[in-house]
Amino acid sequence: MLSERRLQVLRAIVQDYVGTEEPVGSKALTERHNLGVSPATVRNDMAALEEEGFIAQPHTSAGRIPTDKGYRLFVDKLAGVKPMSPPERRAIQNFLEGAVDLDDVVARTVRLLAQLTRQVAVVQYPSLTRSTVRHVELLSLAPARLMLVLITDTGRVEQRMVDCPAPFGEASLADLRARLNSRVAGRRFADVPSLVEDLPEAFDTDDRGTVSTVLSTLLETLVEENEERLMIGGTANLTRFGHDFPLTIRPVLEALEEQVVLLKLLGEAKDPGVTVRIGHENAHEGLNSTSVVSVGYGSGGEAVAKLGVVGPTRMDYPGTMGAVRAVARYVGQILAES
Amino acid sequence: MLSERRLQVLRAIVQDYVGTEEPVGSKALTERHNLGVSPATVRNDMAALEEEGFIAQPHTSAGRIPTDKGYRLFVDKLAGVKPMSPPERRAIQNFLEGAVDLDDVVARTVRLLAQLTRQVAVVQYPSLTRSTVRHVELLSLAPARLMLVLITDTGRVEQRMVDCPAPFGEASLADLRARLNSRVAGRRFADVPSLVEDLPEAFDTDDRGTVSTVLSTLLETLVEENEERLMIGGTANLTRFGHDFPLTIRPVLEALEEQVVLLKLLGEAKDPGVTVRIGHENAHEGLNSTSVVSVGYGSGGEAVAKLGVVGPTRMDYPGTMGAVRAVARYVGQILAES
DNA sequence: CCCTGGCACTCTTCGCACGCGAGTGCCAGA
DNA sequence: TCTGGCACTCGCGTGCGAAGAGTGCCAGGG
């Protein structure tokens, strides 16, 4: 087990390295933090920390930099989440309150996160699967062609075309619309299938084909998870990464373009609080030199989607975690209000 | 006026520079292109071209590179649009045909353009203003709260909440819905305002307030140009730009994040064909070292939106223009079918 | 009049040696 | 267990010289 002082040394190394972006040596450490011991002692501690794999040196005769393992320990044990200051909180709230619709909420959230953390922000649109149905609408576009519109409690709207096997009268349409809504409005997506199961039986034989088609389209829409979309912003912040540029930034940009990758990334974090995945903890190898800080957010108590930031492993973890958490909280509030 | 041979020299310089990314000297030119003259002659021509501002040299004793003005001449006079090969055309068509809805069409188009040109692709969603109305739907969410859904001929769906000044009955709602659709369905956005002007008069005094509110929301939606959205892809291609990295890529990424900037950029190109804006011809200074190749596309004969690519001024103009034109054409077809 | 070969000149780039300084590891002593 | 001292390692910046690419200019020839 590492002594208390060694942990302090590790903490100091992480803080200094994040601040200066340069390997930190024993002398500089003792000068900037009053550890009460000499550089030589710190050197011994450093040797021990290196032995354990928490820090490393880029070349012999350079200072030390934290490893992924070192950052992990720092995040888990040595640092808390730095809360946002009241003025910052107000600014967040004001900025988000100006949003006019769901797209705008998401867009503003992305900008906000990118600005606050000076990193790349990723916000997932509120997912369908955990939401509830607010309303289902059916429009007749042509005698045998309907449009199905699904509105969720988070304000998201999905529409689908339905080609009917047979013409469908206005009266039947109104009937179906009414029955459908009385059964599913306000219900959770997961419950819908069993609630509409026997619906075709209430209709004439002629109309049953169409009703079934509509229902299956509806169910399809509900489960269609790959419709999950997300918005990204602040990619310009990637240019602050390092000096060894193209190599670092290229794979990250590529990973960011693969929405599937990002969705998987966000999906993996099951923790109810803020989740941090550091460097090689990210499955995708393009993101091996980045850390992802994410958290779920939602309109009620429950999380319906995730948001987070992607940045260099050398990031200000407490600050970033604080910003992510605060933004998620306020977005949740905004969604609940609208 | 420049002699024929000097134009050939300029063309050769552009082609070589685009290929090698390195300043091209007189000797290399005569070797790679059989101009039938000696390096010394080419040097004289180069001096003349430099005098006129078509080419420049980075340092005193380096080869020449084209200036923005040189590229401009090249694009206007020296090179045509390189058509896509039949296999490429088939690939484009196949790729786009798999799309399931408008979002998907746009997303696929972005990917396709980015891959074909190996540059950053920008695709504007089909704009509302020049489209026609397919259907307007009104849903009652609460006694005094409606949802207005607008469906366009390009498959785009816009929805808005409407808070009514007074409760609005189901019968009135059905009435308004029917009247509204019979007037505006199939009509162009621009014509809608005059078509619905006198609609409130057909209703009871009680309902007129609500009807007016609905109408003004509808008109608002129609003109709301800033709702114009676009999708970007292929930013990873920026890493191929050059070696002098952060400086070049940073402002470009920033410009790309400013959707307003991009929309303005695309909007400026009035040419019915493929438009090329080179280097400083772009108003936004972050894009001063890039060229933008754009073209309008649409479901019918008329353009309803733009798409294009952003890349280094040193790009393969004929190939890029060919790709952009081909993609626009096929997207138009897809939109017309759906 | 235009093209060509030759020549001197300019600059960038690369390799190399050198010295500096930061930082380390280790050891003996308190 | 901590400390001060000391020798050692290496990366980095600097200066210099050679090499190479490319140019501009000029005089001669078709």
Side-chain angles (χ1 to χ4, degrees), chain B residues 17-45:
Chain B
Y17 183 59
V18 167
T20 65
E21 312 206 356
E22 275 175 12
V24 14
S26 54
K27 194 172 155 217
L29 258 198
T30 52
E31 281 168 6
R32 298 173 47 116
H33 306 71
N34 39 3
L35 298 168
V37 293
S38 79
T41 310
V42 171
R43 281 205 287 280
N44 287 327
D45 292 343

PDB file of all heavy atoms in Angstrom, chain B residues 17-45:
ATOM      1  N   TYR B  17       1.522  20.540 -58.603  1.00  0.00           N
ATOM      2  CA  TYR B  17       1.492  20.960 -57.212  1.00  0.00           C
ATOM      3  C   TYR B  17       0.397  20.228 -56.447  1.00  0.00           C
ATOM      4  O   TYR B  17       0.575  19.811 -55.307  1.00  0.00           O
ATOM      5  CB  TYR B  17       1.292  22.471 -57.106  1.00  0.00           C
ATOM      6  CG  TYR B  17       1.333  22.961 -55.684  1.00  0.00           C
ATOM      7  CD1 TYR B  17       2.459  22.751 -54.899  1.00  0.00           C
ATOM      8  CD2 TYR B  17       0.238  23.592 -55.116  1.00  0.00           C
ATOM      9  CE1 TYR B  17       2.497  23.170 -53.581  1.00  0.00           C
ATOM     10  CE2 TYR B  17       0.270  24.019 -53.798  1.00  0.00           C
ATOM     11  CZ  TYR B  17       1.399  23.804 -53.045  1.00  0.00           C
ATOM     12  OH  TYR B  17       1.434  24.211 -51.732  1.00  0.00           O
ATOM     13  N   VAL B  18      -0.727  20.064 -57.091  1.00  0.00           N
ATOM     14  CA  VAL B  18      -1.817  19.333 -56.466  1.00  0.00           C
ATOM     15  C   VAL B  18      -1.396  17.891 -56.204  1.00  0.00           C
ATOM     16  O   VAL B  18      -1.726  17.298 -55.178  1.00  0.00           O
ATOM     17  CB  VAL B  18      -3.077  19.377 -57.356  1.00  0.00           C
ATOM     18  CG1 VAL B  18      -4.106  18.360 -56.892  1.00  0.00           C
ATOM     19  CG2 VAL B  18      -3.665  20.770 -57.355  1.00  0.00           C
ATOM     20  N   GLY B  19      -0.651  17.345 -57.143  1.00  0.00           N
ATOM     21  CA  GLY B  19      -0.226  15.958 -56.979  1.00  0.00           C
ATOM     22  C   GLY B  19       0.843  15.770 -55.917  1.00  0.00           C
ATOM     23  O   GLY B  19       0.724  14.903 -55.057  1.00  0.00           O
ATOM     24  N   THR B  20       1.858  16.613 -55.952  1.00  0.00           N
ATOM     25  CA  THR B  20       3.013  16.384 -55.083  1.00  0.00           C
ATOM     26  C   THR B  20       2.969  17.171 -53.782  1.00  0.00           C
ATOM     27  O   THR B  20       3.697  16.865 -52.854  1.00  0.00           O
ATOM     28  CB  THR B  20       4.304  16.792 -55.805  1.00  0.00           C
ATOM     29  OG1 THR B  20       4.268  18.212 -56.034  1.00  0.00           O
ATOM     30  CG2 THR B  20       4.421  16.097 -57.144  1.00  0.00           C
ATOM     31  N   GLU B  21       2.161  18.215 -53.736  1.00  0.00           N
ATOM     32  CA  GLU B  21       2.105  19.094 -52.564  1.00  0.00           C
ATOM     33  C   GLU B  21       3.422  19.818 -52.333  1.00  0.00           C
ATOM     34  O   GLU B  21       3.683  20.275 -51.228  1.00  0.00           O
ATOM     35  CB  GLU B  21       1.729  18.316 -51.303  1.00  0.00           C
ATOM     36  CG  GLU B  21       0.521  17.426 -51.517  1.00  0.00           C
ATOM     37  CD  GLU B  21      -0.226  17.156 -50.220  1.00  0.00           C
ATOM     38  OE1 GLU B  21       0.238  17.601 -49.172  1.00  0.00           O
ATOM     39  OE2 GLU B  21      -1.289  16.520 -50.293  1.00  0.00           O
ATOM     40  N   GLU B  22       4.261  19.866 -53.360  1.00  0.00           N
ATOM     41  CA  GLU B  22       5.515  20.587 -53.182  1.00  0.00           C
ATOM     42  C   GLU B  22       5.716  21.598 -54.295  1.00  0.00           C
ATOM     43  O   GLU B  22       5.294  21.373 -55.426  1.00  0.00           O
ATOM     44  CB  GLU B  22       6.683  19.606 -53.170  1.00  0.00           C
ATOM     45  CG  GLU B  22       6.899  19.022 -51.795  1.00  0.00           C
ATOM     46  CD  GLU B  22       7.961  17.959 -51.787  1.00  0.00           C
ATOM     47  OE1 GLU B  22       8.694  17.834 -52.785  1.00  0.00           O
ATOM     48  OE2 GLU B  22       8.041  17.243 -50.776  1.00  0.00           O
ATOM     49  N   PRO B  23       6.371  22.697 -53.974  1.00  0.00           N
ATOM     50  CA  PRO B  23       6.627  23.711 -54.990  1.00  0.00           C
ATOM     51  C   PRO B  23       7.278  23.061 -56.208  1.00  0.00           C
ATOM     52  O   PRO B  23       8.145  22.196 -56.049  1.00  0.00           O
ATOM     53  CB  PRO B  23       7.601  24.668 -54.289  1.00  0.00           C
ATOM     54  CG  PRO B  23       7.329  24.500 -52.838  1.00  0.00           C
ATOM     55  CD  PRO B  23       6.895  23.088 -52.662  1.00  0.00           C
ATOM     56  N   VAL B  24       6.892  23.489 -57.383  1.00  0.00           N
ATOM     57  CA  VAL B  24       7.407  22.820 -58.567  1.00  0.00           C
ATOM     58  C   VAL B  24       8.356  23.738 -59.334  1.00  0.00           C
ATOM     59  O   VAL B  24       8.072  24.915 -59.554  1.00  0.00           O
ATOM     60  CB  VAL B  24       6.243  22.296 -59.452  1.00  0.00           C
ATOM     61  CG1 VAL B  24       4.940  22.918 -59.035  1.00  0.00           C
ATOM     62  CG2 VAL B  24       6.485  22.539 -60.903  1.00  0.00           C
ATOM     63  N   GLY B  25       9.484  23.157 -59.697  1.00  0.00           N
ATOM     64  CA  GLY B  25      10.523  23.929 -60.370  1.00  0.00           C
ATOM     65  C   GLY B  25      10.502  23.727 -61.875  1.00  0.00           C
ATOM     66  O   GLY B  25       9.787  22.867 -62.396  1.00  0.00           O
ATOM     67  N   SER B  26      11.293  24.525 -62.537  1.00  0.00           N
ATOM     68  CA  SER B  26      11.256  24.508 -64.002  1.00  0.00           C
ATOM     69  C   SER B  26      11.724  23.177 -64.578  1.00  0.00           C
ATOM     70  O   SER B  26      11.151  22.661 -65.533  1.00  0.00           O
ATOM     71  CB  SER B  26      12.139  25.633 -64.542  1.00  0.00           C
ATOM     72  OG  SER B  26      13.443  25.528 -64.002  1.00  0.00           O
ATOM     73  N   LYS B  27      12.741  22.615 -63.975  1.00  0.00           N
ATOM     74  CA  LYS B  27      13.293  21.378 -64.512  1.00  0.00           C
ATOM     75  C   LYS B  27      12.268  20.244 -64.396  1.00  0.00           C
ATOM     76  O   LYS B  27      11.984  19.529 -65.369  1.00  0.00           O
ATOM     77  CB  LYS B  27      14.577  21.011 -63.754  1.00  0.00           C
ATOM     78  CG  LYS B  27      15.387  19.949 -64.456  1.00  0.00           C
ATOM     79  CD  LYS B  27      16.738  19.755 -63.775  1.00  0.00           C
ATOM     80  CE  LYS B  27      17.288  18.372 -64.042  1.00  0.00           C
ATOM     81  NZ  LYS B  27      17.988  17.813 -62.872  1.00  0.00           N
ATOM     82  N   ALA B  28      11.723  20.086 -63.223  1.00  0.00           N
ATOM     83  CA  ALA B  28      10.745  19.029 -62.997  1.00  0.00           C
ATOM     84  C   ALA B  28       9.594  19.145 -63.996  1.00  0.00           C
ATOM     85  O   ALA B  28       9.099  18.146 -64.517  1.00  0.00           O
ATOM     86  CB  ALA B  28      10.218  19.110 -61.561  1.00  0.00           C
ATOM     87  N   LEU B  29       9.193  20.381 -64.252  1.00  0.00           N
ATOM     88  CA  LEU B  29       8.061  20.597 -65.163  1.00  0.00           C
ATOM     89  C   LEU B  29       8.355  20.039 -66.547  1.00  0.00           C
ATOM     90  O   LEU B  29       7.538  19.320 -67.129  1.00  0.00           O
ATOM     91  CB  LEU B  29       7.760  22.087 -65.290  1.00  0.00           C
ATOM     92  CG  LEU B  29       6.576  22.629 -64.503  1.00  0.00           C
ATOM     93  CD1 LEU B  29       6.146  23.965 -65.073  1.00  0.00           C
ATOM     94  CD2 LEU B  29       5.412  21.658 -64.530  1.00  0.00           C
ATOM     95  N   THR B  30       9.521  20.411 -67.077  1.00  0.00           N
ATOM     96  CA  THR B  30       9.826  19.963 -68.439  1.00  0.00           C
ATOM     97  C   THR B  30       9.966  18.444 -68.503  1.00  0.00           C
ATOM     98  O   THR B  30       9.708  17.833 -69.537  1.00  0.00           O
ATOM     99  CB  THR B  30      11.148  20.589 -68.926  1.00  0.00           C
ATOM    100  OG1 THR B  30      12.167  20.332 -67.947  1.00  0.00           O
ATOM    101  CG2 THR B  30      10.998  22.082 -69.115  1.00  0.00           C
ATOM    102  N   GLU B  31      10.360  17.852 -67.380  1.00  0.00           N
ATOM    103  CA  GLU B  31      10.501  16.402 -67.381  1.00  0.00           C
ATOM    104  C   GLU B  31       9.152  15.698 -67.360  1.00  0.00           C
ATOM    105  O   GLU B  31       8.932  14.717 -68.054  1.00  0.00           O
ATOM    106  CB  GLU B  31      11.327  15.948 -66.169  1.00  0.00           C
ATOM    107  CG  GLU B  31      12.828  16.134 -66.375  1.00  0.00           C
ATOM    108  CD  GLU B  31      13.598  15.965 -65.074  1.00  0.00           C
ATOM    109  OE1 GLU B  31      12.990  15.592 -64.057  1.00  0.00           O
ATOM    110  OE2 GLU B  31      14.814  16.238 -65.080  1.00  0.00           O
ATOM    111  N   ARG B  32       8.263  16.186 -66.560  1.00  0.00           N
ATOM    112  CA  ARG B  32       6.985  15.487 -66.368  1.00  0.00           C
ATOM    113  C   ARG B  32       5.966  15.804 -67.457  1.00  0.00           C
ATOM    114  O   ARG B  32       5.052  15.034 -67.698  1.00  0.00           O
ATOM    115  CB  ARG B  32       6.408  15.831 -65.001  1.00  0.00           C
ATOM    116  CG  ARG B  32       7.328  15.380 -63.865  1.00  0.00           C
ATOM    117  CD  ARG B  32       6.792  15.898 -62.543  1.00  0.00           C
ATOM    118  NE  ARG B  32       5.369  15.658 -62.430  1.00  0.00           N
ATOM    119  CZ  ARG B  32       4.810  14.875 -61.522  1.00  0.00           C
ATOM    120  NH1 ARG B  32       5.568  14.256 -60.656  1.00  0.00           N
ATOM    121  NH2 ARG B  32       3.508  14.726 -61.474  1.00  0.00           N
ATOM    122  N   HIS B  33       6.060  16.955 -68.049  1.00  0.00           N
ATOM    123  CA  HIS B  33       5.149  17.274 -69.153  1.00  0.00           C
ATOM    124  C   HIS B  33       6.016  17.548 -70.373  1.00  0.00           C
ATOM    125  O   HIS B  33       6.995  18.270 -70.274  1.00  0.00           O
ATOM    126  CB  HIS B  33       4.331  18.530 -68.848  1.00  0.00           C
ATOM    127  CG  HIS B  33       3.592  18.448 -67.559  1.00  0.00           C
ATOM    128  ND1 HIS B  33       4.215  18.493 -66.345  1.00  0.00           N
ATOM    129  CD2 HIS B  33       2.273  18.317 -67.301  1.00  0.00           C
ATOM    130  CE1 HIS B  33       3.308  18.387 -65.382  1.00  0.00           C
ATOM    131  NE2 HIS B  33       2.142  18.279 -65.940  1.00  0.00           N
ATOM    132  N   ASN B  34       5.650  17.015 -71.506  1.00  0.00           N
ATOM    133  CA  ASN B  34       6.462  17.327 -72.674  1.00  0.00           C
ATOM    134  C   ASN B  34       5.976  18.625 -73.322  1.00  0.00           C
ATOM    135  O   ASN B  34       5.136  18.632 -74.214  1.00  0.00           O
ATOM    136  CB  ASN B  34       6.469  16.184 -73.698  1.00  0.00           C
ATOM    137  CG  ASN B  34       5.096  15.540 -73.811  1.00  0.00           C
ATOM    138  OD1 ASN B  34       4.151  15.991 -73.174  1.00  0.00           O
ATOM    139  ND2 ASN B  34       4.991  14.544 -74.650  1.00  0.00           N
ATOM    140  N   LEU B  35       6.529  19.705 -72.816  1.00  0.00           N
ATOM    141  CA  LEU B  35       6.144  21.021 -73.310  1.00  0.00           C
ATOM    142  C   LEU B  35       6.918  21.376 -74.573  1.00  0.00           C
ATOM    143  O   LEU B  35       6.607  22.350 -75.248  1.00  0.00           O
ATOM    144  CB  LEU B  35       6.426  22.074 -72.229  1.00  0.00           C
ATOM    145  CG  LEU B  35       5.632  21.900 -70.923  1.00  0.00           C
ATOM    146  CD1 LEU B  35       6.185  22.787 -69.832  1.00  0.00           C
ATOM    147  CD2 LEU B  35       4.164  22.221 -71.185  1.00  0.00           C
ATOM    148  N   GLY B  36       7.989  20.615 -74.860  1.00  0.00           N
ATOM    149  CA  GLY B  36       8.760  20.877 -76.071  1.00  0.00           C
ATOM    150  C   GLY B  36       9.703  22.056 -75.963  1.00  0.00           C
ATOM    151  O   GLY B  36      10.231  22.520 -76.970  1.00  0.00           O
ATOM    152  N   VAL B  37       9.891  22.531 -74.752  1.00  0.00           N
ATOM    153  CA  VAL B  37      10.839  23.633 -74.583  1.00  0.00           C
ATOM    154  C   VAL B  37      11.770  23.305 -73.419  1.00  0.00           C
ATOM    155  O   VAL B  37      11.529  22.379 -72.653  1.00  0.00           O
ATOM    156  CB  VAL B  37      10.134  24.973 -74.314  1.00  0.00           C
ATOM    157  CG1 VAL B  37       9.356  25.437 -75.530  1.00  0.00           C
ATOM    158  CG2 VAL B  37       9.230  24.846 -73.101  1.00  0.00           C
ATOM    159  N   SER B  38      12.796  24.091 -73.257  1.00  0.00           N
ATOM    160  CA  SER B  38      13.782  23.824 -72.210  1.00  0.00           C
ATOM    161  C   SER B  38      13.376  24.487 -70.894  1.00  0.00           C
ATOM    162  O   SER B  38      12.524  25.372 -70.870  1.00  0.00           O
ATOM    163  CB  SER B  38      15.137  24.377 -72.636  1.00  0.00           C
ATOM    164  OG  SER B  38      15.158  25.770 -72.423  1.00  0.00           O
ATOM    165  N   PRO B  39      14.005  24.025 -69.807  1.00  0.00           N
ATOM    166  CA  PRO B  39      13.739  24.627 -68.494  1.00  0.00           C
ATOM    167  C   PRO B  39      13.928  26.138 -68.508  1.00  0.00           C
ATOM    168  O   PRO B  39      13.165  26.861 -67.867  1.00  0.00           O
ATOM    169  CB  PRO B  39      14.781  23.970 -67.595  1.00  0.00           C
ATOM    170  CG  PRO B  39      15.064  22.663 -68.250  1.00  0.00           C
ATOM    171  CD  PRO B  39      14.936  22.897 -69.719  1.00  0.00           C
ATOM    172  N   ALA B  40      14.917  26.608 -69.204  1.00  0.00           N
ATOM    173  CA  ALA B  40      15.187  28.053 -69.207  1.00  0.00           C
ATOM    174  C   ALA B  40      13.991  28.831 -69.741  1.00  0.00           C
ATOM    175  O   ALA B  40      13.594  29.859 -69.192  1.00  0.00           O
ATOM    176  CB  ALA B  40      16.422  28.341 -70.050  1.00  0.00           C
ATOM    177  N   THR B  41      13.422  28.315 -70.795  1.00  0.00           N
ATOM    178  CA  THR B  41      12.233  28.962 -71.372  1.00  0.00           C
ATOM    179  C   THR B  41      11.103  28.972 -70.362  1.00  0.00           C
ATOM    180  O   THR B  41      10.414  29.986 -70.168  1.00  0.00           O
ATOM    181  CB  THR B  41      11.783  28.193 -72.620  1.00  0.00           C
ATOM    182  OG1 THR B  41      12.899  28.001 -73.465  1.00  0.00           O
ATOM    183  CG2 THR B  41      10.717  28.969 -73.346  1.00  0.00           C
ATOM    184  N   VAL B  42      10.924  27.816 -69.738  1.00  0.00           N
ATOM    185  CA  VAL B  42       9.863  27.724 -68.734  1.00  0.00           C
ATOM    186  C   VAL B  42      10.115  28.745 -67.631  1.00  0.00           C
ATOM    187  O   VAL B  42       9.186  29.371 -67.125  1.00  0.00           O
ATOM    188  CB  VAL B  42       9.798  26.296 -68.160  1.00  0.00           C
ATOM    189  CG1 VAL B  42       8.858  26.243 -66.968  1.00  0.00           C
ATOM    190  CG2 VAL B  42       9.352  25.316 -69.229  1.00  0.00           C
ATOM    191  N   ARG B  43      11.371  28.931 -67.301  1.00  0.00           N
ATOM    192  CA  ARG B  43      11.681  29.903 -66.252  1.00  0.00           C
ATOM    193  C   ARG B  43      11.214  31.295 -66.648  1.00  0.00           C
ATOM    194  O   ARG B  43      10.671  32.025 -65.827  1.00  0.00           O
ATOM    195  CB  ARG B  43      13.184  29.909 -65.984  1.00  0.00           C
ATOM    196  CG  ARG B  43      13.625  28.760 -65.114  1.00  0.00           C
ATOM    197  CD  ARG B  43      14.913  29.104 -64.378  1.00  0.00           C
ATOM    198  NE  ARG B  43      16.070  29.101 -65.256  1.00  0.00           N
ATOM    199  CZ  ARG B  43      16.708  27.992 -65.639  1.00  0.00           C
ATOM    200  NH1 ARG B  43      16.264  26.817 -65.264  1.00  0.00           N
ATOM    201  NH2 ARG B  43      17.758  28.054 -66.407  1.00  0.00           N
ATOM    202  N   ASN B  44      11.450  31.619 -67.889  1.00  0.00           N
ATOM    203  CA  ASN B  44      10.978  32.928 -68.361  1.00  0.00           C
ATOM    204  C   ASN B  44       9.464  33.035 -68.248  1.00  0.00           C
ATOM    205  O   ASN B  44       8.924  34.046 -67.793  1.00  0.00           O
ATOM    206  CB  ASN B  44      11.407  33.154 -69.807  1.00  0.00           C
ATOM    207  CG  ASN B  44      12.894  33.442 -69.906  1.00  0.00           C
ATOM    208  OD1 ASN B  44      13.464  34.043 -68.999  1.00  0.00           O
ATOM    209  ND2 ASN B  44      13.512  32.995 -70.996  1.00  0.00           N
ATOM    210  N   ASP B  45       8.794  31.973 -68.674  1.00  0.00           N
ATOM    211  CA  ASP B  45       7.329  31.987 -68.587  1.00  0.00           C
ATOM    212  C   ASP B  45       6.874  32.126 -67.142  1.00  0.00           C
ATOM    213  O   ASP B  45       5.935  32.861 -66.827  1.00  0.00           O
ATOM    214  CB  ASP B  45       6.765  30.685 -69.169  1.00  0.00           C
ATOM    215  CG  ASP B  45       6.996  30.604 -70.676  1.00  0.00           C
ATOM    216  OD1 ASP B  45       7.276  31.657 -71.281  1.00  0.00           O
ATOM    217  OD2 ASP B  45       6.891  29.501 -71.240  1.00  0.00           O
TER     218      ASP B  45
END
